[in-house]
Structures are given as structure tokens and as C-alpha cells.
Amino acid sequence: NSNHDELYTAVAELRKHIQHREKPGAGSDEQRRVRKALAGCGLPNDDELVVEATKLLRQWEGDNLALRSEARLQNAVRRARKGYKPSVPEAGDLLGSAIA
């Protein structure tokens, strides 16, 4: 079935991105492809491939959230290292919100 093949291929591509992610958003096209393939595959929720796809999507979401937080914190630290500047008084607030 072509829908099953599409889901299989999409899951394989997303798996590759998850294993080698280093920046927020990496693999976003692949996760969209998995979501679309899941919606159209017609497989039951307990099918092994559907279970794996769902698990990978959850992992991608969690990793993406962590990577975004890390990037936000690194950016705030870089700005704070430059010191206080009257032209950028929100640098401390940015650092505080990145930590929170």
C-alpha cells in the first residue's frame, strides 16, 4: 500500500534527523511529512509503524523544545557578556526569561 510506504519512508527520514539534531527546527519538514502520512495511512493506532511514528514525533517535539531553550539561553548569555548598555536595557530581562 502506497500510504504505508510513505509512512515508512517518512519515519525513516525523521529518525535520521532525530539522531543528528543540533539546532532547533531541524527535521521540521520530516515531522510534517510523518504527521501527514499518519493521517492518511489508515493503519490502526496499535500498528507497530504508527506507534513508532508517534513516539518519534513526541521525541522530536521534546528535543526541539530543549534545543530552542538552549539556543535562547546561549543568546541571552552572549548579550549579557557584552555588559549593560543603555541602548539595550532589556539584556538582563532576556537572560532572566531564558533561565526561567
Side-chain angles (χ1 to χ4, degrees), residues 7 10-11 13-15 18 21 26-39 49-65:
L7 180 57
V11 164
E13 291 296 317
L14 182 58
R15 190 181 311 111
I18 287 175
R21 287 189 64 192
S28 61
D29 291 339
E30 288 74 15
Q31 67 86 23
R32 272 193 296 274
R33 185 176 174 194
V34 169
R35 290 181 195 282
K36 185 176 178 181
L38 266 175
L49 187 55
V50 171
V51 170
E52 181 181 6
T54 303
K55 181 180 172 185
L56 284 173
L57 286 171
R58 278 195 222 116
Q59 184 178 351
W60 183 88
E61 290 167 352
D63 290 352
N64 196 48
L65 181 61

Side-chain angles (χ1 to χ4, degrees), residues 30-91:
E30 288 74 15
Q31 67 86 23
R32 272 193 296 274
R33 185 176 174 194
V34 169
R35 290 181 195 282
K36 185 176 178 181
L38 266 175
C41 72
L43 296 171
N45 290 339
D46 61 350
D47 182 87
E48 187 176 317
L49 187 55
V50 171
V51 170
E52 181 181 6
T54 303
K55 181 180 172 185
L56 284 173
L57 286 171
R58 278 195 222 116
Q59 184 178 351
W60 183 88
E61 290 167 352
D63 290 352
N64 196 48
L65 181 61
L67 287 170
R68 282 193 348 238
S69 296
E70 182 180 342
R72 208 170 42 245
L73 180 58
Q74 287 174 349
N75 186 39
V77 167
R78 263 194 306 278
R79 292 178 110 186
R81 280 187 181 148
K82 294 178 184 177
Y84 176 78
K85 295 180 184 175
S87 62
V88 188
E90 68 275 3

Side-chain angles (χ1 to χ4, degrees), residues 1-7 40-43:
N1 161 341
S2 66
N3 291 334
H4 180 273
D5 293 344
E6 171 61 18
L7 180 57
C41 72
L43 296 171

